[in-house]
Amino acid sequence: MAFFRPAILDSFAGYSRQQFSSDVLAGITVGVIALPLAMAFAIASGLKPEAGIFAAIIGGLIVALLGGTKVQIAGPAGAFIVIVYAIVDRYGVANLLLATTLSGVFLFLMGLFRLGTLVRFIPIAVIVGFTNGIAVLIILSQIKDFFGLQIPQLPSQFFSMVQTLFDRASSWSPATLVLSISSLIFLILWRLFHKRIGKLGMIPGTIWVLVLATLVTSIFSLPVETIGSRFGGIPAGLPSPQWQGITWESAQLVIAPAMTLALLGAIESLLCARIADGLTHERHRPNQELMGQGVANFVMPLFGGMPVTGTIARTVTNIESGARTPISAIVHSITLLLIIVIAAPLAKDIPLACLAAILIFIAWNMGDWKQFIDFKQFRLPYRITMISVFLLTVTVDLTVAVQVGLILAFVTFVYRISSLSRIETAPVADFPFLEGQEDKVAAYRIYGALFFGAVQLLEKIEQRLPQCAVVLDFKNVIYIDATGMDSLIEFMHHCQTRGVTVYICGLNHQTHDIALRSGLYDKMSAEFFCHDLAAGLQKVRNAFLKPY
C-alpha cells in the first residue's frame, strides 16, 4: 500500500502541545466559518441546507484522514454550485447522489494512476475563464433570493435564467432587498475595517452578519423567506447511511456530469493544495489528495451530502489561524457537528436573503477580475482562450467550456512550439571546403522539436535538394515524436529516389531512443550516422568532394 499513504501519517514528527492547541483553535475557527457557507452552497445548489452541512462534516473528516495535504479543509465549494444545480434541475437529486458517487470513483482512479500532476498542466487562461464564469453564474443564481423574487424554480440554463429573472422582476420584496443590501454592505465594511476593532474582528464577518440578520428578522418579524419557511429547519444530528441503488441506465445518464464533477473537484482541490504549499512551505501529494477526495465523494451520497473538494478560503483561514496538521480539519468537522446538535433549532430563522448576500460577496471575491482589467497586456491567444472559456461557462456549460479551452490552449501551444522549431543552413565560413559546392552538398542544423506540428521543416529541404548529399545535424533537437520520425524516414526515402545520400548527426538520448524504436538504424548503414556535424561533413568531403 505504498501508493496509498495519507499525509496525516507523516504529520506528527516533533509534534508539541503548543502545536496541538494551535490546531484545535484553528479547527474551531474554520468550523464556525464553514457553517453559513455550507448551508449557503447547498441552498444555492438546489438542495436542502443539511446537504452542505453533512458534506462539510463527513467529507471534511474523510479528506483530513485520507488526503495528501496536511492543512487543507474540504467541504462544499462555490465552484460546484452551478454544476450541482444543473444536475439537480435536469436529472433530480437521486441522480446527483449517483453522479457524486461516480465522481468519487473517477477521482480515486485519477490518483491511483498518478494523474494528479497532469491536472497542474491546465493553462491559467482556462482556470481564470471558468472561475470567473462560475462567479458570474453564482451571482445570477442568487438574484432571486437577494431581491425576494417569487420564482418557484429558477432554470439552470443561462438564457432561461435571465429571461425568468426579467419576467419576474416586478415581484421583488422591499423587506428582502433592504436586508440583502444591508448584509452585503456589512460584509464589505467588515472586510475593510475588521482588523481595527480588536478581538471582535477575530470572529468572521459571515458569522456576525448571519447572527444579526437572524435577530433582526426574528425581532421585527420581517416578511422574508427563511430556512424554516422553505425547508423546515435543519436536523440536529447526522443521518444514518443509506445506499443508493445503482442501475446501468441511471449510471449511463449521469456519467458525463460525474466526469465534470471529478474534473472540477480535482482542479479545485489541487489548486487549493498548491496555495497551501505556498503558505506552509511544504509539498502536498497530488495523487494521494485525489484518492482522499475520491473516497470522500464516494461516501458522501450515503449521507445525502453534496460533492466535496478542497476549499481555498477555509484552507487559507485554517493556515493563518495556526494550523499545521490534519488535526485542525478533524476539529473543524467536530465543531460543525456540535453546532448543529446544539443550535439546530435556531437555524430555522436564518433569512435566505442574508445567505444570498454572503454568496454574492464570496462569488465576487472568488473571481479574478484583475485579469479582465489587465486584458490588453496578454497575447491574443491567451485572451481568446480566457474569453471563450468565460463566455461558454456562463452561456453553455462548464464541460464544453473546459473542452474548448483545452483545445484552444493545445492549438496555441503547438503553434508556439512549431514557431520555435527552425532549420538553418550551416554557414560556409565554418566549413570552407563547402564554398562553391552548394549544388552538390547541403548541411542543415535543426533546432527545437521535430513533431507533428513542425514536419514542414523537412518538406522545405525537399524543395531544394543538392546533387550528392544532405547532412542533418540534430544536436539542438530536444524532442522528436513518432510523426516527426516518420517524416524523417519519408524524407530519406525521397532523397534515395533522387540519388541523394543522407547523413544523420548529433542524435541525443531522446532522439536516439526514438530512432532506435522506429527502426531507423535498420534502414541506414552505421556509416551514415555521425556524432556531430563536423564529422558528418568530413565523410561527405571524402566521399563526394575529394575529386574537386
Side-chain angles (χ1 to χ4, degrees), residues 241-274:
Q242 294 183 349
W243 175 252
Q244 303 293 324
I246 298 177
T247 64
W248 177 244
E249 291 75 15
S250 58
Q252 284 182 308
L253 187 67
V254 298
I255 189 112
M259 294 180 68
T260 302
L261 287 173
L263 178 61
L264 184 57
I267 294 172
E268 189 79 5
S269 62
L270 295 184
L271 182 61
C272 177
R274 289 181 65 183

Side-chain angles (χ1 to χ4, degrees), residues 166-212:
F166 181 79
D167 291 342
R168 303 294 296 174
S170 60
S171 64
W172 65 283
S173 165
T176 301
L177 183 59
V178 169
L179 186 61
S180 300
I181 293 176
S182 301
S183 299
L184 188 57
I185 292 174
F186 182 92
L187 289 170
I188 294 171
L189 293 176
W190 188 267
R191 179 166 185 167
L192 294 175
F193 303 111
H194 72 281
K195 293 182 179 180
R196 303 182 183 181
I197 57 176
K199 293 184 178 180
L200 290 177
M202 297 175 63
I203 302 176
T206 51
I207 297 298
W208 279 115
V209 76
L210 198 69
V211 171
L212 292 175

Side-chain angles (χ1 to χ4, degrees), residues 456-531:
Q456 72 278 4
L457 295 177
L458 297 177
E459 295 173 359
K460 293 179 181 178
I461 301 177
E462 290 180 3
Q463 299 171 7
R464 51 180 189 273
L465 287 177
Q467 298 173 9
C468 301
V470 172
V471 184
L472 300 178
D473 181 16
F474 284 84
K475 177 183 177 182
N476 297 298
V477 174
I478 59 174
Y479 176 76
I480 300 180
D481 69 353
T483 304
M485 186 54 67
D486 186 65
S487 300
L488 177 60
I489 294 173
E490 182 65 27
F491 170 79
M492 291 167 52
H493 177 73
H494 180 76
C495 290
Q496 186 179 12
T497 60
R498 296 278 298 273
V500 179
T501 304
V502 179
Y503 290 82
I504 304 295
C505 307
L507 292 177
N508 59 32
H509 176 74
Q510 192 277 331
T511 52
H512 166 75
D513 181 64
I514 190 69
L516 187 66
R517 288 190 285 115
S518 64
L520 180 64
Y521 289 107
D522 298 329
K523 296 178 175 64
M524 290 179 64
S525 174
E527 63 181 294
F528 298 110
F529 289 93
C530 309
H531 99 298

